[in-house]
Amino acid sequence: MEQLRLNSAELHHAYELADSIGERYGRVDDPDFLIAAPVLAHDLPPRIRSFLNHFRRAEIGSCMIGGHVIDDAALGATPHHWNAIPDPSSSLRYEILLVLYTSLLGDVFGWATQQDGRLVHDVLPIRAHENEQLGSGSKTLLTWHTEDAFHPYRGDYVVLACLRNPNGAATTVGNVDDLELDEADREVLFQERFIIRPDESHLTKNNTASGGTDFSHIEALNAAPPPVAVLFGAADRPYIRADPYFMDVPDGDERAAQALHALETAMERCLTDVVLTTGDFCFLDNLKVVHGRRPFSARFDGSDRWLKRVCATRDLRKSRTARTALTSQIIG
Ligand SMILES: O=C(O)CCC(=O)C(=O)O
Ligand SMILES: [Fe+2]
C-alpha cells in the first residue's frame, strides 16, 4: 500500500491546524465546521494534499498516511461502547484531522441509521457483539465488503484512523483490479443479477438513541432489495459493490450464484492483511477496494483496539431527498 510518512514539521503543522479548529468549534460534528472543512483543509501541508489527490484521481484503491504521534494517556481508556465515548472528546484533534484529510476527497457524511446518526464512528470491540458481523465484533471474522454496499448513497471513500491496536488485529484489503476472473463470470458480475441486503449496523437493535429515527427506508431495502450489478464502470478497470455475507441471487439464477461464488474465491486470493498501528490513517476507495477484519481476542478492559472512521461522497447532492436540510451531512 502506498504510504506517506509525515515528518515532524508536517505533523506539527497539521496538529496546529487541527487544534485551532478544535478550539473554535469544540466538536467534530459542528455543522459550521463541516461546511468549512473543505476550505480549512487547504491549509494542510502540501505533501498531504498532493498525496491524497493522487489517491483520488489515479484510483489506486488504498493508501496510508502514517507518523501521527498519539498521546495515549490523554486519550483515556477505550470505551466499552461507541455510545460511551467521552464528552468532550478526548480524541478531538484526531477526529478533526480525519475530517480534514477526508474533505480533500469529498464531502463527509454519516447515516441517521448508524451509530445514532454520528458523523465520525468509533470502531471498537463491544462485548455483546463479540460474535456479530459488525465493526464492533472481534471473535468472528468480519467478512470482506464494500462499505454500505446495499445502499444507493453509499460513500466513495471510507477512512480509518487508528488510535490504538494492541491486539495487532488485521484489517483485510482487496483491490478489484487484482481479481482473476474468467471472462464469462466477469460478464455476469456486470449484470443486475445480485441482491445486497442491509448489513447489521443499520438495524434498529444496533442503534441506541431513543426513538425519532426513521428506519423505514432501510426496512424497505431489506424487504425488497433491488437486483444490482457487482461490477460496473470500465470493463478494464471496474468498480465494485459487494458484501457477500449479506448477498443473494434471485430465485433460480444459478448462473449468478456461480459468478458470485467465483468472485468470493477470487477476492479471497487478493486479500492482504494490513495491521493498522497507532497513528496510521488508512484511506480506502470504496469503489475500488473491499475491506474486512480478521478475528482477534478483545480484552474489554479499556485497553482494546480503537479506530475512528468516516465516510465521504464525491456527490452529496444525490442524497438530497434523504437529508433533512441542504446543509445536513447526515443521510436518513
Ligand atoms: O476494524 C477494521 O479494521 C475494519 C472494520 C470495518 O469494516 C469498518 O470499520 O468499516
Ligand atoms: Fe467496513
Side-chain angles (χ1 to χ4, degrees), residues 7 44 58 113 115 119 128 142 158 174 188 215 224 227 241 253 256 260 278 329:
N7 59 40
L44 286 166
T113 51
Q115 295 205 2
L119 183 96
L142 183 61
V158 51
V188 174
F215 288 86
R241 166 185 200 180
D253 192 347
L260 182 57
T278 302
Q329 289 178 219

PDB file of all heavy atoms in Angstrom, residues 7 44 58 113 115 119 128 142 158 174 188 215 224 227 241 253 256 260 278 329:
ATOM      1  N   ASN A   7       6.765  14.100   8.237  1.00  0.00           N
ATOM      2  CA  ASN A   7       7.935  14.469   9.037  1.00  0.00           C
ATOM      3  C   ASN A   7       7.462  15.345  10.203  1.00  0.00           C
ATOM      4  O   ASN A   7       6.276  15.706  10.283  1.00  0.00           O
ATOM      5  CB  ASN A   7       9.000  15.158   8.162  1.00  0.00           C
ATOM      6  CG  ASN A   7       8.466  16.419   7.504  1.00  0.00           C
ATOM      7  OD1 ASN A   7       7.720  17.176   8.136  1.00  0.00           O
ATOM      8  ND2 ASN A   7       8.823  16.636   6.244  1.00  0.00           N
ATOM      9  N   LEU A  44      -3.690  22.375   5.042  1.00  0.00           N
ATOM     10  CA  LEU A  44      -2.857  21.220   5.394  1.00  0.00           C
ATOM     11  C   LEU A  44      -1.551  21.269   4.599  1.00  0.00           C
ATOM     12  O   LEU A  44      -1.487  21.895   3.535  1.00  0.00           O
ATOM     13  CB  LEU A  44      -3.608  19.914   5.076  1.00  0.00           C
ATOM     14  CG  LEU A  44      -4.750  19.540   6.033  1.00  0.00           C
ATOM     15  CD1 LEU A  44      -5.626  18.444   5.423  1.00  0.00           C
ATOM     16  CD2 LEU A  44      -4.197  19.090   7.392  1.00  0.00           C
ATOM     17  N   ALA A  58      -5.898   8.840  -9.379  1.00  0.00           N
ATOM     18  CA  ALA A  58      -5.303   7.656 -10.015  1.00  0.00           C
ATOM     19  C   ALA A  58      -6.067   6.392  -9.627  1.00  0.00           C
ATOM     20  O   ALA A  58      -5.829   5.325 -10.184  1.00  0.00           O
ATOM     21  CB  ALA A  58      -3.825   7.545  -9.635  1.00  0.00           C
ATOM     22  N   THR A 113     -29.185   6.144  10.527  1.00  0.00           N
ATOM     23  CA  THR A 113     -29.481   4.790  10.995  1.00  0.00           C
ATOM     24  C   THR A 113     -28.245   4.040  11.501  1.00  0.00           C
ATOM     25  O   THR A 113     -28.303   2.834  11.721  1.00  0.00           O
ATOM     26  CB  THR A 113     -30.101   3.982   9.842  1.00  0.00           C
ATOM     27  OG1 THR A 113     -29.251   4.117   8.690  1.00  0.00           O
ATOM     28  CG2 THR A 113     -31.488   4.464   9.504  1.00  0.00           C
ATOM     29  N   GLN A 115     -24.863   4.147  14.309  1.00  0.00           N
ATOM     30  CA  GLN A 115     -24.239   4.782  15.481  1.00  0.00           C
ATOM     31  C   GLN A 115     -24.987   6.063  15.860  1.00  0.00           C
ATOM     32  O   GLN A 115     -24.384   7.122  16.083  1.00  0.00           O
ATOM     33  CB  GLN A 115     -22.737   5.025  15.259  1.00  0.00           C
ATOM     34  CG  GLN A 115     -21.969   3.711  15.130  1.00  0.00           C
ATOM     35  CD  GLN A 115     -20.484   3.800  15.512  1.00  0.00           C
ATOM     36  OE1 GLN A 115     -19.971   4.835  15.919  1.00  0.00           O
ATOM     37  NE2 GLN A 115     -19.798   2.666  15.409  1.00  0.00           N
ATOM     38  N   LEU A 119     -21.406  11.384  12.909  1.00  0.00           N
ATOM     39  CA  LEU A 119     -20.662  11.593  11.670  1.00  0.00           C
ATOM     40  C   LEU A 119     -19.371  10.778  11.657  1.00  0.00           C
ATOM     41  O   LEU A 119     -19.047  10.102  10.684  1.00  0.00           O
ATOM     42  CB  LEU A 119     -20.333  13.077  11.525  1.00  0.00           C
ATOM     43  CG  LEU A 119     -19.633  13.379  10.229  1.00  0.00           C
ATOM     44  CD1 LEU A 119     -20.615  13.853   9.195  1.00  0.00           C
ATOM     45  CD2 LEU A 119     -18.519  14.373  10.419  1.00  0.00           C
ATOM     46  N   ALA A 128     -20.904  -7.456  23.899  1.00  0.00           N
ATOM     47  CA  ALA A 128     -22.154  -8.096  23.457  1.00  0.00           C
ATOM     48  C   ALA A 128     -22.146  -8.401  21.952  1.00  0.00           C
ATOM     49  O   ALA A 128     -22.987  -9.152  21.468  1.00  0.00           O
ATOM     50  CB  ALA A 128     -23.342  -7.214  23.810  1.00  0.00           C
ATOM     51  N   LEU A 142     -14.742 -10.491  10.261  1.00  0.00           N
ATOM     52  CA  LEU A 142     -15.626  -9.552   9.574  1.00  0.00           C
ATOM     53  C   LEU A 142     -15.350  -9.742   8.085  1.00  0.00           C
ATOM     54  O   LEU A 142     -14.297  -9.368   7.571  1.00  0.00           O
ATOM     55  CB  LEU A 142     -15.358  -8.117  10.028  1.00  0.00           C
ATOM     56  CG  LEU A 142     -16.274  -7.039   9.442  1.00  0.00           C
ATOM     57  CD1 LEU A 142     -17.735  -7.277   9.810  1.00  0.00           C
ATOM     58  CD2 LEU A 142     -15.848  -5.656   9.912  1.00  0.00           C
ATOM     59  N   VAL A 158     -13.956   5.374   2.495  1.00  0.00           N
ATOM     60  CA  VAL A 158     -14.047   5.147   3.942  1.00  0.00           C
ATOM     61  C   VAL A 158     -12.623   5.276   4.482  1.00  0.00           C
ATOM     62  O   VAL A 158     -11.671   4.750   3.898  1.00  0.00           O
ATOM     63  CB  VAL A 158     -14.743   3.800   4.286  1.00  0.00           C
ATOM     64  CG1 VAL A 158     -14.158   2.646   3.538  1.00  0.00           C
ATOM     65  CG2 VAL A 158     -14.716   3.519   5.770  1.00  0.00           C
ATOM     66  N   GLY A 174      -8.660  -5.790  -0.298  1.00  0.00           N
ATOM     67  CA  GLY A 174      -8.521  -6.449  -1.600  1.00  0.00           C
ATOM     68  C   GLY A 174      -8.961  -5.505  -2.710  1.00  0.00           C
ATOM     69  O   GLY A 174     -10.011  -4.856  -2.599  1.00  0.00           O
ATOM     70  N   VAL A 188     -21.141 -11.722 -16.170  1.00  0.00           N
ATOM     71  CA  VAL A 188     -22.343 -11.877 -15.336  1.00  0.00           C
ATOM     72  C   VAL A 188     -22.304 -10.892 -14.164  1.00  0.00           C
ATOM     73  O   VAL A 188     -23.321 -10.284 -13.808  1.00  0.00           O
ATOM     74  CB  VAL A 188     -22.481 -13.334 -14.827  1.00  0.00           C
ATOM     75  CG1 VAL A 188     -23.649 -13.464 -13.853  1.00  0.00           C
ATOM     76  CG2 VAL A 188     -22.661 -14.291 -16.004  1.00  0.00           C
ATOM     77  N   PHE A 215     -36.349   4.229  10.307  1.00  0.00           N
ATOM     78  CA  PHE A 215     -35.635   3.103   9.704  1.00  0.00           C
ATOM     79  C   PHE A 215     -36.409   2.518   8.514  1.00  0.00           C
ATOM     80  O   PHE A 215     -36.021   1.488   7.977  1.00  0.00           O
ATOM     81  CB  PHE A 215     -35.392   1.997  10.745  1.00  0.00           C
ATOM     82  CG  PHE A 215     -34.344   2.356  11.765  1.00  0.00           C
ATOM     83  CD1 PHE A 215     -34.673   3.072  12.906  1.00  0.00           C
ATOM     84  CD2 PHE A 215     -33.018   1.984  11.579  1.00  0.00           C
ATOM     85  CE1 PHE A 215     -33.708   3.423  13.841  1.00  0.00           C
ATOM     86  CE2 PHE A 215     -32.034   2.328  12.512  1.00  0.00           C
ATOM     87  CZ  PHE A 215     -32.392   3.049  13.649  1.00  0.00           C
ATOM     88  N   ALA A 224     -37.308  -5.688   0.108  1.00  0.00           N
ATOM     89  CA  ALA A 224     -37.323  -5.842  -1.349  1.00  0.00           C
ATOM     90  C   ALA A 224     -36.070  -5.231  -1.964  1.00  0.00           C
ATOM     91  O   ALA A 224     -36.122  -4.191  -2.606  1.00  0.00           O
ATOM     92  CB  ALA A 224     -38.570  -5.176  -1.916  1.00  0.00           C
ATOM     93  N   PRO A 227     -32.335  -5.857  -7.547  1.00  0.00           N
ATOM     94  CA  PRO A 227     -31.138  -6.515  -8.094  1.00  0.00           C
ATOM     95  C   PRO A 227     -30.145  -5.477  -8.626  1.00  0.00           C
ATOM     96  O   PRO A 227     -30.550  -4.524  -9.294  1.00  0.00           O
ATOM     97  CB  PRO A 227     -31.682  -7.389  -9.229  1.00  0.00           C
ATOM     98  CG  PRO A 227     -33.132  -7.140  -9.313  1.00  0.00           C
ATOM     99  CD  PRO A 227     -33.538  -6.113  -8.314  1.00  0.00           C
ATOM    100  N   ARG A 241     -19.100  -3.279  -5.950  1.00  0.00           N
ATOM    101  CA  ARG A 241     -20.105  -3.092  -4.900  1.00  0.00           C
ATOM    102  C   ARG A 241     -20.481  -4.485  -4.428  1.00  0.00           C
ATOM    103  O   ARG A 241     -21.107  -5.237  -5.188  1.00  0.00           O
ATOM    104  CB  ARG A 241     -21.298  -2.403  -5.547  1.00  0.00           C
ATOM    105  CG  ARG A 241     -22.544  -2.414  -4.721  1.00  0.00           C
ATOM    106  CD  ARG A 241     -23.695  -1.825  -5.497  1.00  0.00           C
ATOM    107  NE  ARG A 241     -24.730  -1.407  -4.580  1.00  0.00           N
ATOM    108  CZ  ARG A 241     -25.866  -0.842  -4.954  1.00  0.00           C
ATOM    109  NH1 ARG A 241     -26.110  -0.626  -6.233  1.00  0.00           N
ATOM    110  NH2 ARG A 241     -26.769  -0.488  -4.061  1.00  0.00           N
ATOM    111  N   ASP A 253     -31.540 -18.305 -10.175  1.00  0.00           N
ATOM    112  CA  ASP A 253     -30.486 -17.785 -11.074  1.00  0.00           C
ATOM    113  C   ASP A 253     -29.146 -18.453 -10.726  1.00  0.00           C
ATOM    114  O   ASP A 253     -28.270 -17.859 -10.104  1.00  0.00           O
ATOM    115  CB  ASP A 253     -30.393 -16.262 -10.969  1.00  0.00           C
ATOM    116  CG  ASP A 253     -29.523 -15.677 -12.086  1.00  0.00           C
ATOM    117  OD1 ASP A 253     -28.803 -16.454 -12.765  1.00  0.00           O
ATOM    118  OD2 ASP A 253     -29.554 -14.449 -12.272  1.00  0.00           O
ATOM    119  N   ALA A 256     -25.872 -16.687 -11.859  1.00  0.00           N
ATOM    120  CA  ALA A 256     -25.439 -15.572 -10.997  1.00  0.00           C
ATOM    121  C   ALA A 256     -24.797 -16.119  -9.719  1.00  0.00           C
ATOM    122  O   ALA A 256     -23.781 -15.582  -9.250  1.00  0.00           O
ATOM    123  CB  ALA A 256     -26.620 -14.664 -10.664  1.00  0.00           C
ATOM    124  N   LEU A 260     -21.055 -15.272  -8.414  1.00  0.00           N
ATOM    125  CA  LEU A 260     -20.814 -14.707  -7.080  1.00  0.00           C
ATOM    126  C   LEU A 260     -19.812 -15.574  -6.314  1.00  0.00           C
ATOM    127  O   LEU A 260     -18.907 -15.055  -5.650  1.00  0.00           O
ATOM    128  CB  LEU A 260     -22.145 -14.610  -6.319  1.00  0.00           C
ATOM    129  CG  LEU A 260     -22.091 -13.997  -4.913  1.00  0.00           C
ATOM    130  CD1 LEU A 260     -21.499 -12.584  -4.938  1.00  0.00           C
ATOM    131  CD2 LEU A 260     -23.491 -13.966  -4.288  1.00  0.00           C
ATOM    132  N   THR A 278      -0.881   2.462  15.822  1.00  0.00           N
ATOM    133  CA  THR A 278      -1.195   3.777  16.384  1.00  0.00           C
ATOM    134  C   THR A 278      -0.676   4.906  15.482  1.00  0.00           C
ATOM    135  O   THR A 278       0.502   4.934  15.152  1.00  0.00           O
ATOM    136  CB  THR A 278      -0.557   3.908  17.783  1.00  0.00           C
ATOM    137  OG1 THR A 278      -1.064   2.843  18.579  1.00  0.00           O
ATOM    138  CG2 THR A 278      -0.897   5.236  18.432  1.00  0.00           C
ATOM    139  N   GLN A 329     -25.339  16.807   6.704  1.00  0.00           N
ATOM    140  CA  GLN A 329     -24.442  15.791   6.156  1.00  0.00           C
ATOM    141  C   GLN A 329     -24.747  14.415   6.751  1.00  0.00           C
ATOM    142  O   GLN A 329     -23.901  13.534   6.786  1.00  0.00           O
ATOM    143  CB  GLN A 329     -22.989  16.256   6.305  1.00  0.00           C
ATOM    144  CG  GLN A 329     -22.757  17.421   5.324  1.00  0.00           C
ATOM    145  CD  GLN A 329     -21.394  18.071   5.328  1.00  0.00           C
ATOM    146  OE1 GLN A 329     -21.328  19.294   5.195  1.00  0.00           O
ATOM    147  NE2 GLN A 329     -20.332  17.299   5.438  1.00  0.00           N
TER     148      GLN A 329
END
